[in-house]
């Protein structure tokens, strides 16, 4: 689906977003964490996940307009 919109996302990039986000929201959707990282000048990739102990569960991820979130 993202490929159709010309956004290519790899598993390693999703991991990078979680490990080294440009922005992280831990408040608006507790206990979920929303991590964001720039894809290009206008877009970020947002990754929604839970972190319980040593287990990180990715719930969803999606591209978004950069100015909309931070």
């Amino acid at each position: 689906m993202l490929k159709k919109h010309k956004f290519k996302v790899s598993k390693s990039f999703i991991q990078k977003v979680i490990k080294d986000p440009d922005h992280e929201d831990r408040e608006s959707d507790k206990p979920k964490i929303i991590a964001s990282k720039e894809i290009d000048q206008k877009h970020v990739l947002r990754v929604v996940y839970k972190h319980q102990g040593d287990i990180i569960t990715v719930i969803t991820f999606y591209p978004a307009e950069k100015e909309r979130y931070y």
Side-chain angles (χ1 to χ4, degrees):
M1 187 69 150
L2 292 177
K3 191 174 181 181
K4 176 178 147 183
H5 297 285
K6 298 188 180 168
F7 286 102
K8 294 181 181 180
V9 179
S10 65
K11 183 178 177 178
S12 64
F13 188 70
I14 292 170
Q15 291 170 334
K16 184 175 182 177
V17 173
I18 293 170
K19 290 179 183 175
D20 186 30
D22 293 337
H23 182 264
E24 193 171 67
D25 179 354
R26 293 177 170 264
E27 298 299 319
S28 65
D29 198 13
K30 281 185 177 180
K32 297 175 199 140
I33 302 165
I34 304 170
S36 303
K37 192 153 193 76
E38 186 176 288
I39 297 173
D40 59 32
Q41 287 183 327
K42 294 183 180 183
H43 299 93
V44 295
L45 183 68
R46 294 183 42 96
V47 179
V48 180
Y49 68 98
K50 285 185 182 181
H51 190 209
Q52 296 175 324
D54 292 340
I55 300 172
I56 295 174
T57 304
V58 174
I59 298 162
T60 191
F61 58 91
Y62 54 94
E65 290 182 13
K66 193 174 188 179
E67 289 85 29
R68 184 170 178 182
Y69 294 98
Y70 68 93

